[in-house]
Structures are given as structure tokens and as C-alpha cells.
Amino acid sequence: MTQKKNVLFIMFDQLRFDYLSCQGHPHLKTPHMDSLAEKGVRFTRAYVQSPICGSSRMSYYTGRYVHSHGAQRNNFPLKVGEFTLGDHLRNGDIDCYLIGKTHMQADEAGLKRLGIMPDSVIGARQSECGFDAYIRDDGLWAEGIGGLYDSKRSPYNEYLKDKGYEAHNPWHENANAALNEEGDIASGWLMQNADQPANIKEEDSETPWLTSQAIQFMEERRDADKLWLCHLSYIKPHWPYIVPAPYHDMYGPEHILPVQRSSQEKAYPHPVYGAYMENLVAQSFSKDEVREKVIPAYMGLIKQCDDQMGRLFAYLEETGQMDNTMIVITSDHGDYLGDHWLGEKDLFHECSVKVPLIIYDPSADADATRGTVCDELVEAIDLVPTFLEWFGQDIPNHIVEGRSLMPFLQGEKPEDWREFVISEYDYSTTLAAEKLALEPEDCRLFMVADKDWKLVHAEGDMRPMLFDLNDDPNEYYDLGDSASHFPVREQMYKRLGAWARRMSQRTAISDARIRKMRGKALDKGIFLGLFDGTEVPEEKVEPIKGKGKKAN
């Protein structure tokens, strides 16, 4: 029998790295995630490949940079044929399941062009980012005057209606809204309502619902021999920022971290940064009254997430599965929450592009690293090769661009570990693009960062941004046009250029196969370059010598 090994790959949406107590938050206690960090390794410099949901997740699921997989923005399709984690695992006869969110847009035109039916096994996997969907729910069932944001079926709304919630859209009217004293909906979309309790039983809200789905999945497969990876992808603490009782009033303004912003940032902002500071969500979060309403609710959502981690880990302990299940906790990006005069995510300050990452390896090989911290530069794309190595599979390096983190989990450090990280952002569909009057191909940002410096390149003939992460850890002072920092910018641009020239699109043939093809032309009958045949061993030219028959 194959040694039992499974993976629980847990991702939260919009979880900031500094809003966990294991990261040093003085008021928000997350004991269950802390306990996992004590059993595993906590990575302090983990960066996403894009600070926006869809693009970031496509890199997590493919092990490839956004530049490679091409899904550069939410609702940009992941092209048919792009290798995913599920594809790699199934090569080793390992199941790969999804519970929750992917924010993946299927390449419907590509499926149609290739004659792949969306309801076929292959079509379904192509449409679900390579996963077999135990239950998919992207958790954005908002409805505007133009209709629903997401037109797929909503398993969560179906669940709520089965539980007796009678609203047309209980995701909005119950899970993400309160009810005021007059009986009117106090929508979570209006941030003035963030301190109100969501109009739903806590056990029916999104985070407990997905936790129950995960426990049910693992219980169903507990005695199965086949190995599996389960991607448990939570919707929260993503907006709308509203949470059910008792979490709605656990925290107040006195518990939030001090805002990180400076008037210096407004003095001479980069054009793209300036455009983002003027959008609606940035204007709102620049107000203290908004932060004081929203962030306590955000903290309540995180506390609820942590409590559900306690429920999940207790199940694993009780059933003995903690001993054979690798557990990963991370996020698809962070949240500005008013820092740097911004809301949401989108740009490359640490609170947006750096994420929590905790990995628990239950094997004895990892005993020496339990409770340790790794400060090396890590990218989201490193998880795919980590999972493959954990399961004992070869890593196809001509496809997967990340590097396995298994050495760090087992007390080793590769001598040639990366010196910088890359993240990308496409803002071509935004009001910022319209304000700057840019063509889509110019609406691109590239971040290259090491432990000392962070450079952001902007297409469209704009200057770069540059931050000194040692002298200016809050990233207040943009040195993008500082004459004295030209050598630093030059060095960072050399790194960005080297990254851009990497081999990334030759995914159909490996380096190993290419090496085996070298020098084989004569064996296959191509004799180009010979004069009389004495240039090579005699047996090589035997097929073209000998007696012939005269043509009639």
C-alpha cells in the first residue's frame, strides 16, 4: 500500500500578513494558526505574483508567473492547455480537489475551438483550474442594476435557502448585511454598517460553511487508499466587511494597528500611484472614521477564520490525520485598509503584496525545524513544486517556474536560492488607465524586490518607483528619480531584464529530452556537412554507401 500522504492547502482571501498574532499583532489573537506555526515553519518574506485575486491564484495553481500563464487580471481567462497543479498531481495518480474559491475564468473560446465540451471531465477540469470541484463558490454573489457579478450557480445561496433563509439573495441580505431597527437591510457594501452583526446565524456564515464542507470531504476519504490534495479556499476576510455576532464587536478602534501613511507620499506621487489615491475606495479608506468602522470588522472576520482553524485541526487530530497531512496556510494578497492613502490591494506596498505563509510538514524529516522562522525570499509559485516533492513526484522545471520549499522544511538551505522576487499587475480595465489615457499594453507594472530594495517598473514611458526597505521600511519615500540611486535602479533593472529573458514558454519539451537529442542527427539519417565521410566514425555513414542500381 502507498504510504498515506495528503495535503490541505488553505488559502484565505485578502488576509494581511501583519494581522496574525504570530506576526506580532498585539491585540488580535489567532491561537490556532499560531499553533500550526509552532508545529511548522513560518515564512516572513512570502510574496504573491500579482496583488489581485485572479492573477495571483492562477500563479498559485500553475506554479508559473503571470507573465507566463497570461491571466493578468480578474476575469481574464486562463488559457486552455496551461498546466495546473491538478494536471501534475494526476500524473502521479493523486487526486486534486477544490472546496471554495478559485476566481478562475474559463477559456470558453479555447474550449470551443478545440471541441472540448465544458461538461466533460476534461472540460470541467479546464474550467475549474485543474481541480475536481467538490464545491466551488467564489463568494461574490453581488447584484447591481446590470445583474449579477457572477452568473454561475451559487452553492452557498442554495445552502442558505435549504436552511430556511427566504431572501432572494441570502448571500447579500443575510451573510453580508445587517438588519436595522426599522427592519431595513443594512448592506455590508455600505461601510458605515461594518460594526453591525450580519443577519445570519454564525454557524451558517461563509467561513463555518466551508469548514464543514472540508471536514465532510476528509471524512468521506478518511479510509481511502488514494492520496489527495484538497485546496480549501476561504472567501473571507474579503469584503464586504461585515461579520456575524459575536465577532462583530470583539474589537474596536483601540485595537487596530497604527495607520502607515505620510504626507510625503502625496507630495510627488508616481502617476499610477496618484491615480489610485484618487479612486473611490482609496478616498474612503483615507478617512479615519471608515478605518475605525471597517478594521474591527476585518479583525472579527480573521478571528472567526482562526476559530474555524481550531475546529478543523481538532478534527484532524481526533481522526489521526494530522500525522500524514501537510498543511499550508496562506493568502492570495493583502489589503491596504487605508495604509499609503489606499484601500483594497492592487499596488506593491508590503501590506498588499506580502502574505502570511505557514507550512506544517508532519514527517520526521521536519522535526528539526518545528516552530522556526524562515526569512528567505519566497514566491507563491513555490507551492506547486513543494507539493510535488512532498508526494515524491519529479518537478517538471520546463513548466513549473517556482522552487520547492521542502529543503527549508527539513533544515536545509539551497546554496543558490533566489536573490529577488517578482510580482506583476495589469490595470488596463480600471479608471486609472482611463485617467492616464493609456493603451492596454502600457497598463502594466512589474515589481522586482530583494531584502533591501523594491523597484516598480511602469510601462508607458513613466519613471519607476524605488523604495529603500532598510532605511524606509514603511515605504514612504519614492526614490524613483533620485540621481544618487541610479546604480541601485540599474541593478534592479538588470534583474528584471534577466527574469524577462528566462525560458518560460517552452513547456512541451524538457531540458532532459533536449539533451538526449544532441548529436543524434546522423543516427536518424541527416548527414549535413560531410565532405567524404571521413569526418565521422565509419559506421555512421554506412547507410549512405554501398552498391547502387543505375536508373533506367
Side-chain angles (χ1 to χ4, degrees):
M1 182 183 297
T2 304
Q3 180 185 0
K4 192 69 173 175
K5 274 189 172 184
N6 299 316
V7 170
L8 188 56
F9 172 22
I10 301 169
M11 182 180 292
F12 294 102
D13 199 311
Q14 211 144 323
L15 175 61
R16 274 178 61 145
F17 73 96
D18 52 352
Y19 269 78
L20 297 178
S21 47
C22 63
Q23 292 287 160
H25 196 293
H27 304 295
L28 177 53
K29 303 304 178 186
T30 50
H32 303 295
M33 286 188 261
D34 290 359
S35 72
L36 193 74
E38 291 168 2
K39 293 185 178 79
V41 177
R42 179 169 61 86
F43 295 85
T44 62
R45 286 189 171 101
Y47 290 87
V48 292
Q49 264 49 76
S50 181
I52 189 170
C53 302
S55 300
S56 173
R57 287 168 177 271
M58 297 311 100
S59 287
Y60 270 112
Y61 304 154
T62 63
R64 290 165 58 73
Y65 291 103
V66 178
H67 195 245
S68 300
H69 63 64
Q72 293 176 310
R73 190 162 178 82
N74 289 352
N75 303 318
F76 283 23
L78 182 71
K79 56 183 178 289
V80 166
E82 190 68 36
F83 283 88
T84 64
L85 174 60
D87 296 320
H88 295 303
L89 290 179
R90 277 187 289 271
N91 283 337
D93 198 31
I94 298 162
D95 288 336
C96 188
Y97 284 92
L98 166 71
I99 297 173
K101 179 175 184 174
T102 67
H103 215 122
M104 185 263 189
Q105 181 70 36
D107 182 3
E108 295 177 359
L111 289 169
K112 184 177 180 180
R113 175 173 57 85
L114 296 174
I116 300 173
M117 299 302 294
D119 57 354
S120 66
V121 172
I122 295 175
R125 285 172 175 167
Q126 287 286 328
S127 299
E128 300 290 356
C129 209
F131 295 103
D132 289 321
Y134 187 79
I135 191 161
R136 177 178 174 180
D137 195 296
D138 283 0
L140 287 172
W141 307 114
E143 192 168 4
I145 58 173
L148 289 165
Y149 173 82
D150 193 334
S151 59
K152 297 186 295 293
R153 62 177 282 261
S154 167
Y156 181 58
N157 266 339
E158 293 169 5
Y159 164 80
L160 291 180
K161 289 181 180 181
D162 286 344
K163 296 286 287 186
Y165 293 87
E166 299 177 354
H168 162 67
N169 183 352
W171 174 87
H172 172 242
E173 295 182 41
N174 297 101
N176 288 283
L179 203 63
N180 67 20
E181 294 179 355
E182 290 74 35
D184 296 325
I185 295 171
S187 174
W189 291 118
L190 303 176
M191 289 186 286
Q192 67 180 357
N193 299 321
D195 60 347
Q196 301 302 305
N199 183 30
I200 193 171
K201 294 179 181 178
E202 190 273 331
E203 62 267 26
D204 293 335
S205 58
E206 290 162 287
T207 302
W209 171 67
L210 283 173
T211 304
S212 296
Q213 293 291 327
I215 291 173
Q216 178 178 301
F217 165 83
M218 290 186 287
E219 186 64 19
E220 290 172 0
R221 299 185 63 86
R222 189 165 83 173
D223 298 323
D225 291 334
K226 199 168 185 185
L227 310 186
W228 51 260
L229 178 145
C230 175
H231 178 37
L232 173 55
S233 183
Y234 285 100
I235 297 160
K236 296 300 183 180
H238 194 278
W239 42 255
Y241 304 103
I242 194 166
V243 62
Y247 297 97
H248 72 291
D249 62 359
M250 284 186 177
Y251 306 98
E254 69 275 17
H255 298 123
I256 66 180
L257 295 178
V259 66
Q260 292 185 5
R261 64 189 182 205
S262 167
S263 59
Q264 171 68 29
E265 297 176 287
K266 288 190 167 186
Y268 176 49
H270 186 278
V272 179
Y273 182 21
Y276 269 88
M277 281 195 279
E278 294 177 4
N279 69 24
L280 181 59
V281 68
Q283 292 292 307
S284 292
F285 272 102
S286 293
K287 301 173 183 176
D288 289 340
E289 59 267 32
V290 172
R291 297 182 74 253
E292 290 172 2
K293 282 269 192 177
V294 166
I295 298 179
Y298 179 77
M299 294 171 68
L301 288 165
I302 294 172
K303 177 61 176 172
Q304 185 188 37
C305 290
D306 186 70
D307 286 348
Q308 290 302 309
M309 290 298 93
R311 183 178 160 218
L312 191 65
F313 299 159
Y315 166 79
L316 290 169
E317 292 281 8
E318 291 164 5
T319 58
Q321 296 182 77
M322 202 76 174
D323 297 333
N324 57 30
T325 304
M326 172 180 277
I327 302 173
V328 172
I329 290 179
T330 190
S331 176
D332 58 354
H333 51 74
D335 193 328
Y336 275 102
L337 297 174
D339 286 354
H340 306 286
W341 309 98
L342 296 172
E344 269 274 75
K345 49 268 186 180
D346 300 313
L347 301 184
F348 298 106
H349 297 91
E350 296 285 272
C351 57
S352 175
V353 77
K354 191 164 80 168
V355 292
L357 178 61
I358 301 168
I359 303 180
Y360 160 69
D361 175 354
S363 69
D365 292 336
D367 285 348
T369 64
R370 303 205 185 282
T372 61
V373 173
C374 178
D375 295 323
E376 295 302 319
L377 294 166
V378 167
E379 295 182 315
I381 56 176
D382 295 334
L383 289 183
V384 168
T386 302
F387 297 146
L388 294 180
E389 185 172 349
W390 160 255
F391 281 119
Q393 289 188 237
D394 292 334
I395 299 168
N397 291 319
H398 62 298
I399 302 171
V400 174
E401 298 188 276
R403 298 184 62 182
S404 172
L405 300 175
M406 290 298 294
F408 296 113
L409 303 180
Q410 299 180 356
E412 303 172 3
K413 179 192 171 183
E415 293 182 0
D416 59 344
W417 192 252
R418 69 169 60 89
E419 297 180 347
F420 59 90
V421 294
I422 297 287
S423 191
E424 308 166 61
Y425 182 58
D426 181 316
Y427 59 99
S428 56
T429 66
T430 69
L431 291 176
E434 185 175 341
K435 177 179 176 60
L436 297 171
L438 294 173
E439 292 300 317
E441 62 266 23
D442 289 329
C443 298
R444 293 183 296 154
L445 302 174
F446 296 85
M447 180 201 84
V448 54
D450 59 21
K451 294 181 180 180
D452 302 312
W453 300 95
K454 179 185 292 182
L455 180 134
V456 179
H457 166 74
E459 289 290 292
D461 295 323
M462 288 180 273
R463 68 174 178 85
M465 291 175 262
L466 180 70
F467 297 99
D468 184 335
L469 300 179
N470 292 315
D471 291 345
D472 178 28
N474 291 325
E475 302 174 281
Y476 291 157
Y477 299 95
D478 181 359
L479 305 171
D481 59 359
S482 164
S484 62
H485 290 87
F486 174 79
V488 177
R489 293 195 299 275
E490 186 177 40
Q491 169 66 16
M492 299 302 272
Y493 266 113
K494 284 182 179 178
R495 288 172 164 176
L496 186 60
W499 171 83
R501 294 190 302 273
R502 75 199 184 283
M503 180 66 72
S504 62
Q505 298 302 315
R506 184 189 22 88
T507 59
I509 186 169
S510 68
D511 287 353
R513 272 186 65 192
I514 290 172
R515 291 188 189 100
K516 288 180 180 179
M517 294 168 66
R518 291 175 177 171
K520 301 296 184 183
L522 292 174
D523 295 349
K524 295 294 184 179
I526 301 297
F527 302 93
L528 186 65
L530 300 181
F531 177 67
D532 60 8
T534 60
E535 299 91 342
V536 297
E538 186 175 348
E539 65 269 17
K540 294 283 188 179
V541 294
E542 284 181 359
I544 62 172
K545 291 185 175 181
K547 297 295 184 181
K549 295 181 181 180
K550 187 174 182 179
N552 292 329

